[in-house]
């Protein structure tokens, strides 16, 4: 009862504070609804970026990966800092200069309208079929373990003819999906950003609490330092930043698919970077992005170490890796703090879900409804179309999510499926920004060919065996290189009639932050130092 009451109190408090801050905002115009009126400052941008990323597919999935593979999975947290630096230095200035609300809008400016429509459709299919269901499923899995939902249900599942685990999964998925939809569809981007920032504080505090309490528990009354010493002694070979050939992240894949996936995620993924498009100036956007990079350096402490602690505690038990984090939280936290952390976890689920849902609405309303289906639509009609589409998408995602219970590792499944649309879109955006003569036909061929080739490589025999033999991340790197070369060759043979020249539409002040370059260099240096400190290359020797 204490757990449930504290959970309801903290969840309600976040909702009340968010409403109080944003209830007078402009939710009627497309700029106000989809971009927060371009008024976001760096604390809101950093908080929203961090928590949109820091959802349960990270808390549950990455800690589950650490349960299996150890410290080397920190690659997903540490290498992304380099991608964030590139976002601040190279990508963000180009997006803000064009004043766009979506990545496909930028591609329409650089290439043509058809490229924008194709990219929109790829994003929407990926978000509805992959991202949103995974967010809901991983969130529900974590909540079931933390709150011990099956014990609360009693014999209710039996009365409706379902197993307890299945009933709990469906119940949490639909509860979270409905609440997240209300946040995203009635509030708009600034409401999402504010609630993200508030929840971000709670989740960071909660994440560090889990690590602290867990280390104290394995320290057997002698404190956190003793627990950390014991963990390091007993898992010394697993405290290795270098992934061996048998791990989910072999060291060589850092330089192919993993780095590319990180680059796309933090520089081109609409769900993540939409809040940077709402920056009040380039300087505020750069500060927000680089602050996110600094905070991500702390990520392994609450996204990797707890998974390794769970391995220490539960390694003799027959549990799935994705169950380890929820079980650890339930084991180490007292009841009143369990409720607080459950509220923070719900905040994380809601953050990622409503951010992806808000981005889906933005892509549909501005990219398809306004530009294809109804070009004369008013501002009110555009916003209304997004809300209706959002409810349809939310229901589909809630129906798909429980079906993911058959996957072995939700985080590994997410990264694999992300590659299908990450790689072709990132290749087109990068070539578009670096070249002036590559034509629209090259972009359309790359988008369709890249998506198709990766899907065939994953799911069609005998091509899936070829991909499995070379590791899927190397496969993604090869496809990316091929797409870039293909586009450049087409640009040489059939170039644009005139060179592309990007215009500054004056959406925001484009004066860069004067410390952007030195701050970025410091972050990259810290990444290299972290890897050097924990590297043991002997695992690469047969």
């Amino acid at each position: 009862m204490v757990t449930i009451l504290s959970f309801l109190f903290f969840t309600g408090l976040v909702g009340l504070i968010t409403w109080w801050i944003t209830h007078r905002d402009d939710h009627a115009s497309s700029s106000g609804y989809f971009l927060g009126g371009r008024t976001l400052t760096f604390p809101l941008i950093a908080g929203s970026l961090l928590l949109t990323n820091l959802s349960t597919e990270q808390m549950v999935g990455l800690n589950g990966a650490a349960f299996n593979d150890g410290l080397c999975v920190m690659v997903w947290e540490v290498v992304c800092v380099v991608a964030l630096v590139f976002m601040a230095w190279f990508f963000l200035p180009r997006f803000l200069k064009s004043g766009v609300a979506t990545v496909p809008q930028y591609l329409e400016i650089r290439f043509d309208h058809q490229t924008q429509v194709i990219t929109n459709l790829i994003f929407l299919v990926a978000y509805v079929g992959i991202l949103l269901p995974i967010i809901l499923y991983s969130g529900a899995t974590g909540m079931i373990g933390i709150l011990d939902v099956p014990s609360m249900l009693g014999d209710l599942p039996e009365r409706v003819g379902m197993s307890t685990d299945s009933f709990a999964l469906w119940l949490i998925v639909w509860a979270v999906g409905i609440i997240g939809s209300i946040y995203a569809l009635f509030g708009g981007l600034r409401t999402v950003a504010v609630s993200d920032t508030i929840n971000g504080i709670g989740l960071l505090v909660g994440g560090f609490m889990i690590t602290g309490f867990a280390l104290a528990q394995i320290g057997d009354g002698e404190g956190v330092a003793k627990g950390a010493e014991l963990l390091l002694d007993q898992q010394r070979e697993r405290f290795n930043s270098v992934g061996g050939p048998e791990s989910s992240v072999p060291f060589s894949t850092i330089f192919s698919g993993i780095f590319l996936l990180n680059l796309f995620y933090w520089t081109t993924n609409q769900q993540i970077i939409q809040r940077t498009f709402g920056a009040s100036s380039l300087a505020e956007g750069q500060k927000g992005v680089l602050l996110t990079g600094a905070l991500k350096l702390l990520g392994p402490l609450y996204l990797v170490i707890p998974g390794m602690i769970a391995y220490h505690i539960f390694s003799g038990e027959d549990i799935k890796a994705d169950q380890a984090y929820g079980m650890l939280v339930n084991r180490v936290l007292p009841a009143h703090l369990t409720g607080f952390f459950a509220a923070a976890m719900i905040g994380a689920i809601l953050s990622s879900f409503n951010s992806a849902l808000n981005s889906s609405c933005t892509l549909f309303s501005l990219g398809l409804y306004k530009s294809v289906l109804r070009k004369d639509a008013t501002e009110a009609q555009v916003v209304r179309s997004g809300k209706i589409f959002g409810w349809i998408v939310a229901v589909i995602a809630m129906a798909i999510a429980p079906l993911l219970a058959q996957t072995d590792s939700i985080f590994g499944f997410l990264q694999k499926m992300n590659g299908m649309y990450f790689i072709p879109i990132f290749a087109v955006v990068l070539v578009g920004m670096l070249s002036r003569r590559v034509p629209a036909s090259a972009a359309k061929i790359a988008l369709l060919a890249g998506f198709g080739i990766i899907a065939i490589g994953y799911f069609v025999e005998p091509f899936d065996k070829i991909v499995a033999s070379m590791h899927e991340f190397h496969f993604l790197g090869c496809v990316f290189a091929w797409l870039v070369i293909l586009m450049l060759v087409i640009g040489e043979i059939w170039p644009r009639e005139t060179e592309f020249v990007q215009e500054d539409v004056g959406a925001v002040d484009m004066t860069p932050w004067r410390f952007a370059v030195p701050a970025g260099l410091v972050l990259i240096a810290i990444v290299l130092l972290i890897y050097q400190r924990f590297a043991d290359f002997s695992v690469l020797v047969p």
Side-chain angles (χ1 to χ4, degrees):
M1 184 58 68
V2 171
T3 298
I4 294 172
L5 289 176
S6 60
F7 162 68
L8 293 174
F9 171 76
F10 286 113
T11 302
L13 183 63
V14 172
L16 181 63
I17 294 172
T18 301
W19 173 83
W20 181 73
I21 293 174
T22 65
H23 71 282
R24 289 193 173 91
D25 287 357
D26 170 22
H27 296 149
S29 70
S30 58
S31 175
Y33 185 76
F34 295 121
L35 289 178
R38 296 192 190 276
T39 60
L40 300 184
T41 54
F42 80 91
L44 283 179
I45 292 170
S48 187
L49 277 172
L50 187 67
L51 194 66
T52 300
N53 164 252
L54 185 59
S55 185
T56 45
E57 72 266 21
Q58 301 285 326
M59 301 292 280
V60 173
L62 192 52
N63 275 302
F67 180 86
N68 284 334
D69 295 329
L71 188 68
C72 62
V73 300
M74 76 173 187
V75 63
W76 297 110
E77 285 298 293
V78 177
V79 171
C80 78
V81 176
V82 180
L84 282 160
V85 172
F86 287 164
M87 175 62 174
W89 287 352
F90 180 78
F91 291 89
L92 185 60
R94 286 158 176 78
F95 287 132
L96 292 182
K97 190 175 182 179
S98 293
V100 295
T102 69
V103 171
Q105 280 184 345
Y106 175 82
L107 294 179
E108 180 172 24
I109 294 170
R110 172 58 182 85
F111 294 109
D112 65 3
H113 180 65
Q114 289 179 327
T115 305
Q116 180 252 29
V117 172
I118 293 170
T119 310
N120 258 303
L121 290 172
I122 291 175
F123 264 127
L124 287 173
V125 169
Y127 284 0
V128 176
I130 301 172
L131 182 62
L132 286 167
I134 285 178
I135 290 170
L136 288 176
Y137 168 74
S138 60
T141 303
M143 291 304 299
I144 289 168
I146 293 169
L147 291 177
D148 195 14
V149 174
S151 67
M152 297 180 186
L153 297 175
D155 63 349
L156 179 60
E158 294 179 11
R159 291 205 297 257
V160 297
M162 296 178 67
S163 70
T164 301
D165 289 344
S166 180
F167 185 86
L169 184 61
W170 280 92
L171 177 68
I172 300 297
V173 162
W174 280 82
V176 171
I178 290 170
I179 295 170
S181 300
I182 292 170
Y183 260 105
L185 302 179
F186 289 107
L189 181 65
R190 189 164 185 268
T191 300
V192 170
V194 170
S195 64
D196 284 357
T197 303
I198 299 169
N199 280 315
I201 297 170
L203 195 66
L204 284 173
V205 171
F208 283 116
M209 271 197 324
I210 300 304
T211 305
F213 276 106
L215 287 173
Q217 186 171 106
I218 65 175
D220 199 21
E222 296 186 45
V224 172
K226 182 64 177 178
E229 181 183 340
L230 182 64
L231 185 70
L232 183 59
D233 285 343
Q234 293 194 354
Q235 298 189 51
R236 190 167 297 277
E237 74 285 353
R238 285 165 51 88
F239 271 91
N240 188 0
S241 57
V242 176
E246 302 303 318
S247 76
S248 61
V249 286
F251 184 68
S252 59
T253 61
I254 295 176
F255 308 101
S256 55
I258 290 178
F259 187 56
L260 290 173
L261 290 172
N262 271 300
L263 274 175
F264 172 87
Y265 187 88
W266 292 103
T267 68
T268 323
N269 188 3
Q270 181 69 31
Q271 175 221 2
I272 294 296
I273 67 171
Q274 184 169 333
R275 57 266 310 117
T276 66
F277 293 166
S280 59
S281 67
L282 173 59
E284 288 295 305
Q286 288 178 320
K287 285 188 281 187
V289 169
L290 292 171
L291 176 57
T292 305
L295 294 172
K296 291 298 284 182
L297 291 171
L298 302 175
L301 294 177
Y302 52 88
L303 290 174
V304 177
I305 298 300
M308 300 180 70
I309 298 172
Y311 179 84
H312 174 86
I313 296 175
F314 303 120
S315 60
E317 302 177 24
D318 183 22
I319 64 169
K320 285 180 64 177
D322 290 334
Q323 296 174 328
Y325 188 70
M327 291 177 64
L328 180 71
V329 173
N330 189 263
R331 173 76 64 90
V332 303
L333 280 188
H336 60 287
L337 290 179
T338 302
F340 159 74
F341 189 68
M345 286 285 283
I346 280 286
I349 305 163
L350 292 177
S351 169
S352 284
F353 181 76
N354 58 33
S355 294
L357 194 58
N358 182 270
S359 295
S360 299
C361 297
T362 307
L363 289 164
F364 174 79
S365 297
L366 301 183
L368 296 179
Y369 184 79
K370 176 69 174 174
S371 67
V372 177
L373 301 177
R374 192 167 180 179
K375 297 182 179 180
D376 60 345
T378 64
E379 290 279 286
Q381 289 171 330
V382 171
V383 173
R384 184 170 177 269
S385 73
K387 292 181 178 180
I388 294 172
F389 179 77
W391 280 111
I392 295 171
V393 166
V395 170
I396 293 172
M398 286 184 277
I400 294 174
L403 306 179
L404 297 175
Q406 308 305 317
T407 55
D408 293 329
S409 170
I410 196 65
F411 191 77
F413 178 75
L414 173 65
Q415 298 303 335
K416 178 176 180 178
M417 300 308 292
N418 278 346
M420 281 200 297
Y421 69 104
F422 277 20
I423 294 301
I425 293 176
F426 182 65
V428 170
V429 171
L430 186 63
V431 170
M433 288 183 172
L434 291 174
S435 69
R436 296 177 180 272
R437 300 301 296 268
V438 172
S441 60
K444 286 177 278 195
I445 291 171
L447 286 170
L448 296 174
F451 190 84
I453 289 169
I454 295 172
I456 290 170
Y458 281 169
F459 303 115
V460 178
E461 293 184 355
F463 304 104
D464 59 340
K465 293 182 175 58
I466 299 173
V467 173
S469 69
M470 64 185 300
H471 201 286
E472 62 205 29
F473 292 146
H474 288 318
F475 168 64
L476 294 179
C478 291
V479 174
F480 173 80
W482 179 79
L483 292 176
V484 170
I485 293 170
L486 175 66
M487 293 179 69
L488 294 176
V489 169
I490 293 174
E492 286 296 318
I493 299 174
W494 300 287
R496 283 171 55 114
E497 293 182 2
T498 58
E499 286 193 352
F500 169 73
V501 178
Q502 187 179 13
E503 297 180 4
D504 185 350
V505 300
V508 296
D509 178 10
M510 290 300 296
T511 305
W513 184 39
R514 59 176 179 158
F515 296 115
V517 173
L521 290 174
V522 169
L523 289 176
I524 292 174
I526 294 173
V527 168
L528 295 175
L529 284 173
I530 290 173
Y531 258 88
Q532 184 273 331
R533 170 65 181 80
F534 292 100
D536 177 6
F537 289 99
S538 65
V539 297
L540 303 180
V541 180

